[in-house]
Amino acid sequence: MTDNNHRPVARIAGTGHASGTRVLTNFDLERMVDTSDEWITARTGIKERHLVENGTVTSDLCSDAAKQALADAGLSAENLDYIIVGTVTGDMKFPSTASILQSKLGAYNASTFDISAACSGFIYGLDIADSLIRSGRAETILVIGAEVLSSMTNYQDRKTCVLFGDGAGAAVVTRSDDDRGILSTHTGSNGDLAHLLYCDGGGSLKPAMNRDLPFEDFTLRMNGNEVFKHAVRIMDHAALTALEKAGISPSDVDMFIPHQANIRIIDAMAKRLSFSRDRIMINIDRYGNTSTASIPTALNEARLAGRVREGDVVLVAAFGGGFTWASAVFRM
Ligand code: UT7
């Protein structure tokens, strides 16, 4: 857990997002596994997800999202001191996707690294960026959440394949010189719950060179029901902690952007925190669960649609594999 935050020092100066260009609808999935549009819609809120075409990799999505965020901030790639990418589906095992992205952007003044915090990765990155700027070690940081989850989804497993999509969301974080900026961040983890959501093939536990391993070991596996039970409680705790650290209540929040994992989780949280639908950003119906990309994607869409404006107070909260969780409050 990290503790910080008093007055804004760092702010989000630009955002962008990119998603896969291949749309996979619930009706497409009906032809692939034993499922139905009715079940998926009722149990998850998802109608379609965007997947990448063959040959498109995570850093490609990052690059698209990053260019938009830099243009939005009025900055160029040379201004970046750090590139931080939250991902569990990077282009390669190493080097980091952030390093590959650095080359694609020509951001040669930046230090680069990836974060493995699953769906919480983007907010973990925001927390680190805020700390680096607060400490005076950096002025401008690109934070991205990006996944090509289709690269580790088992499209024969109806329990998981209906859920996930591919995407990237980016934010350029710079020093703030007014009251706009990051008011609080909160991060946490519980490794005892790691077995509920994981992919254990391809690491040192089950090396890819072991040809006897089944295909499923290289795909995402989840005990959805158990994850669901923890999700609302954890998201609730994360959101309330960030609000408390920022010294504000849910009624002060103009827009709540929760991780888009399941509409039932979002609705349960909304009820507990008394957020009406007009103060919650929801795009799970169109993208599915894009893990760490979901919050920055929703933030960018909310800004483009005029639902989040300059000066608005935004609350973001996520949870995911690890378990990890993270939240933040910022004034746009
Ligand atoms: O971002 C990472 C964090 N992940 C999450 O937040 C996911 C959290 N979990 C969930 O969103 C939900 O647990 C799921 C959407 C994954 C599953 O919904 P559920 O209501 O928990 O369903 P369930 O796993 O309890 O399964 C209920 C039934 C089962 O059938 P039986 O055993 O009752 O006959 C499943 O086999 O639904 C069946 N089922 C399906 N039926 C049609 C599971 N997946 C499907 C499917 N289509 N795609």
Side-chain angles (χ1 to χ4, degrees):
M1 192 220 270
T2 57
D3 272 291
N4 54 345
N5 310 138
H6 326 282
R7 60 175 192 83
V9 173
R11 75 179 183 97
I12 294 177
T15 56
H17 82 273
S19 47
T21 49
R22 192 158 57 90
V23 176
L24 185 70
T25 67
N26 291 351
F27 300 106
D28 295 329
L29 283 158
E30 281 181 356
R31 292 191 288 274
M32 295 161 66
V33 285
D34 180 15
T35 191
S36 65
D37 171 55
E38 194 186 359
W39 190 97
I40 301 170
T41 306
R43 306 306 287 174
T44 71
I46 302 167
K47 297 298 282 182
E48 60 187 36
R49 31 343 257 128
H50 293 240
L51 310 182
V52 296
E53 301 287 347
N54 277 346
T56 300
V57 293
T58 305
S59 64
D60 294 327
L61 295 177
C62 290
S63 177
D64 282 358
K67 284 174 184 164
Q68 292 165 36
L70 283 165
D72 186 30
L75 294 169
S76 63
E78 298 92 74
N79 294 117
L80 296 174
D81 299 318
Y82 282 87
I83 298 174
I84 304 172
V85 177
T87 187
V88 297
T89 52
D91 292 14
M92 310 178 187
K93 213 150 186 52
F94 79 94
S96 70
T97 298
S99 295
I100 297 164
L101 176 62
Q102 172 182 38
S103 172
K104 287 187 175 173
L105 294 176
Y108 295 112
N109 297 315
S111 301
T112 56
F113 61 95
D114 289 356
I115 303 173
S116 176
C119 307
S120 310
F122 174 77
I123 307 180
Y124 265 62
L126 208 57
D127 176 57
I128 295 168
D130 184 46
S131 304
L132 286 167
I133 293 173
R134 275 176 190 277
S135 71
R137 300 183 84 149
E139 290 291 317
T140 305
I141 300 177
L142 177 64
V143 181
I144 298 190
E147 302 292 9
V148 174
L149 288 171
S150 57
S151 67
M152 68 164 176
T153 298
N154 177 357
Y155 287 97
Q156 290 154 17
D157 173 18
R158 70 175 182 175
K159 291 191 173 184
T160 53
C161 74
V162 302
L163 303 173
F164 300 107
D166 301 334
V172 172
V173 183
T174 58
R175 186 165 290 281
S176 172
D177 46 17
D178 53 33
D179 67 345
R180 290 173 299 172
I182 298 170
L183 301 171
S184 72
T185 55
H186 168 72
T187 61
S189 305
N190 181 357
D192 289 348
L193 301 176
H195 60 284
L196 295 180
L197 178 51
Y198 63 94
C199 169
D200 60 357
S204 55
L205 180 70
K206 295 182 176 178
M209 64 189 74
N210 180 349
R211 297 289 169 92
D212 298 330
L213 293 172
F215 149 81
E216 287 79 12
D217 283 1
F218 297 90
T219 66
L220 181 155
R221 275 170 301 165
M222 175 169 73
N223 182 336
N225 216 265
E226 282 301 312
V227 171
F228 193 98
K229 283 182 199 158
H230 291 284
V232 178
R233 184 182 51 79
I234 290 175
M235 288 266 278
D236 216 30
H237 158 80
L240 287 171
T241 305
L243 289 171
E244 192 185 323
K245 283 187 184 180
I248 64 170
S249 69
S251 59
D252 299 317
V253 173
D254 296 299
M255 185 59 72
F256 173 40
I257 305 181
H259 172 45
Q260 311 280 312
N262 188 312
I263 193 68
R264 292 183 290 138
I265 296 173
I266 295 172
D267 282 342
M269 276 200 80
K271 199 168 165 199
R272 285 161 81 135
L273 298 175
S274 298
F275 279 108
S276 52
R277 272 280 175 111
D278 60 317
R279 285 198 300 142
I280 305 182
M281 186 60 198
I282 297 170
N283 61 10
I284 190 171
D285 51 327
R286 287 176 291 122
Y287 294 110
N289 181 348
T290 58
S291 181
T292 179
S294 87
I295 284 175
T297 297
L299 172 63
N300 190 49
E301 285 207 321
R303 292 187 65 224
L304 291 172
R307 292 190 63 196
V308 167
R309 297 192 173 88
E310 289 284 292
D312 280 357
V313 174
V314 178
L315 165 68
V316 292
F319 78 99
F323 269 18
T324 60
W325 56 89
S327 53
V329 176
F330 50 87
R331 185 173 287 109
M332 202 62 223

